[in-house]
Amino acid sequence: MQASLPEMHVWLACPESTEVIDFTTGLWPEACREATGEEWLAPHPPDYLWTFGSRLPQSVRYVPDRTAIDLVIAVLHLQGREYP
């Protein structure tokens, strides 16, 4: 057994500008296939998404998870990395 982090999807958002940045959207079809064994049936997503919260594509939602954020910060600290 190997210790590892839970699977997480990481994206960036700026509350001041409401920008949302996700560099992994192009990988969603592959992730779907690996996670479920099913093919991606929706139109292929763009390689990345850089937009504003008010302009998100239909049915796309980004919801922050405080527990996941705290976990990543704790791991960064354990690795000796600085985080504000």
Side-chain angles (χ1 to χ4, degrees), residues 5-76:
L5 288 172
E7 180 180 343
M8 290 187 210
H9 180 91
V10 179
W11 47 274
L12 308 166
C14 178
E16 292 153 1
S17 69
T18 74
E19 284 176 282
V20 176
I21 305 165
D22 184 343
F23 293 113
T24 67
T25 54
L27 302 174
W28 291 350
E30 181 183 340
C32 175
R33 190 171 34 261
E34 288 181 16
T36 68
E38 300 292 329
E39 292 300 317
W40 182 265
L41 300 178
H44 201 283
D47 289 339
Y48 66 91
L49 178 72
W50 192 324
T51 189
F52 293 89
S54 61
R55 298 184 198 160
L56 287 173
Q58 185 177 357
S59 300
V60 173
R61 304 289 179 267
Y62 289 91
V63 180
D65 182 316
R66 187 67 219 192
T67 303
I69 294 167
D70 290 342
L71 177 61
V72 170
I73 292 170
V75 169
L76 289 172

